[in-house]
Amino acid sequence: MPRVMTVDDSRAVRSIITKQLAAMHCEVEEAEDGAQALTKLQGTSVDLILLDVTMPVMDGPTMLAQLRKSGSKTPVIMLTSESKSSVIGDAMRQGIDDYILKPFKAEELVDKVKKSLKLTDAPAAAAVSSGSAVPGSGQPVDVLLIDDVENVAKRLRTLLNPQVSMLGVASAQAALAACREHPFKVILVDYEFAEVANAQFVSQLKLLCPGAAIIAMPLKPETPAKLLAEVKAKGFSDCFYKPFSPESVEDFSATHFDRQDFLVRKDDLLTVSGFVNKPERFVRYFGRLEALFPPALEGVASDCFSDAFIDLSAIPPLGEIARVLAAVAMKAKALGVGVKLIGPPELRKVLNNFEETKAMALFSDLSKARSA
Amino acid sequence: MAALSLAAPEQSPPAPSPVVERMVAFVQGLVTKRLTSDALFLPPLPMSATQALNAINQPNFALRDAVPILERDPLLAARVFRLANSAAFSTGERSVTLIASVTRLGARQLRTIIVESATDRLFHSRDPEVARMCARAWQHSAAVALAARDLCLMIGRDDGDEACLSGLLHDIGKPVVATVLLEAEKQVVEGRGGTFIGSQDWYQVISRTHRPVTQAIAEKWGMPSAVLKCIHESAEFDPNERVSLGNLLCFVNALVKVAGLATGDDIDAARTLTMIGHSMLGIDRAITDKLMSNIKDRVSDISV
């Protein structure tokens, strides 16, 4: 349990600090002035000192100087109503970790004590996964839609996968307030709405949500390439055309919120996930697999495994997988890694169709592949 | 805007020498005397800027009223054109008339660009020493203006425009004091040649003596009362009004110096002010880290 000393001539302040630190599971030692604190520190050690500046008998800066003179490197946070830079500057030269101005908020005390004691928080709450984001919750949200016509947000909400969370706002001010509150993955901006469809606003969004893709929502023009260039000049990364259709929203979702793990590597075992989408997305599915295999094989080689076991049990046995596996075979050969496939017997037929894949070993389960 | 290679050294300067203390006292005395006797030359706001700002401040101001005024100042008009056709304000079509350009910018942005243009002109000098100081000071002021406006945005304040103007103007007295100091120096070394204090000391004297002049110029230029108050209060934090615009400017000024865009000031003092400022204004370090992460690039790339 971390031990913290609060040095303050105000009993009320010591009491508040003790209560707040006790809630953080800290053991708290109290001292009324610098002299009492130094005496107490002779018989005990603490991990952090919260030190007031103005106190009777011995003030904070004098105590700090004596503490440092004795060789102590105990972290000190100045907690004081003193804000003169000359006074705090002197304390900084003596070695203080941080500074809290009275009156202070509990969160500031907790944050700075945690930082000084190098205490870590519990893992952050998981992202909002339900369709409706909770304003003011501070949680990450997938989509922020900025449009002065309310129906646009309603329409997109009905077409989006319920797992994708979304917040709709109708003004620039509301959008900036939302960006201060939540991190967003994608920000959709009405391109016909002059208040928001300009580079200055986009740069403000980027400042508040640096990781977000900021996408313009224009009406589809006759020359999309020209519009895209104009949109990019204003700082948008792409266009998402209005009016939305189920297909365009699905494309949008697939591009930005693809939560499927297409290929998972665990040591020498590469497991290909099943296909969960519409049949017309097969091409994209195999395209992703083709892109994911080379780094996965490099990982196998880098970890010094002689063989890669590729579990294809979940995939539909279509011709495209042979094309993917042909590339896998070449990459594995280049890396000096053997490949053993696990999959249904029908896959053999597909493999036999290609010169590069017909020699690949196929097994019905992983244990057989490993014992082969 | 000056190249970044002119940025001030990031290391802390040595402790002020007795010469610096004497020069500070001398310059303070001289500036006070000249200000009170109205004998200090305070650069006026260019006529076009004065007229344009007066027009903007009228309650029934229409953007077209600014056009004939801007037409008489080609430098200012060019700046308006450039900003209106920049990516920040572009609507896809080039703005070829002044009326279209000012309409695109709006009154608030127009006011900022007028002050920016006037301030930029002031930060120039034929004297190489003053010119070097001016280049640093202008770069620093532009960074403070940008960062102050963005910090207001990030923490949800609605006085970003006032913060931006205050940032632009908070060092406006430095070129004037630099000229005064140079005069004094020339008198001292007359006949002997050379200089009698080093560059770093020179900057320190200016930093510590420019404030009354800065305030006087901002007043002469008819800046809004919120801006004058902000500049006046930005020298040191006021704990009685923790989230005031003056405290915000004091904080941003220090942040920008610590980020490497200093003007020869004491960096340790700036570090102290940033430590106090985070608590004074209740601003998380993650926000200021984000704010300062690319400030050098932004100030060299774009106009305020």
Side-chain angles (χ1 to χ4, degrees), chain A residues 83 85 88-89 92 97-103 108 112 115 176 180 199-200 204 207-208 210 230 233-234, chain B residues 87-92 109 149-150 153-156 236 239 242 271-273 275-276 279-280 285 290:
Chain A
S83 65
S85 57
I88 306 307
M92 276 183 82
D97 260 32
D98 217 326
Y99 166 89
I100 299 172
L101 178 65
K102 291 180 191 170
E108 186 184 3
K112 288 185 173 171
K115 195 179 153 204
L176 295 174
R180 279 189 284 272
Q200 196 173 35
Q204 291 177 342
L207 189 70
L208 295 172
E230 179 196 308
K234 289 187 183 175
Chain B
F89 288 92
S90 170
T91 56
Q109 189 62 40
R149 187 182 62 190
D150 288 348
L153 173 77
M154 290 166 92
I155 61 176
E236 177 79 88
R242 289 177 69 154
R271 287 202 181 97
T272 303
L273 287 172
M275 183 181 257
I276 298 170
S279 189
M280 176 76 67
R285 279 179 199 279
K290 193 161 48 162

Side-chain angles (χ1 to χ4, degrees), chain A residues 247-264:
Chain A
E247 292 72 27
S248 69
V249 172
E250 203 176 309
D251 273 339
F252 167 77
S253 300
T255 307
H256 297 283
F257 307 107
D258 217 333
R259 293 191 166 132
Q260 191 183 351
D261 290 326
F262 286 84
L263 181 67
V264 178

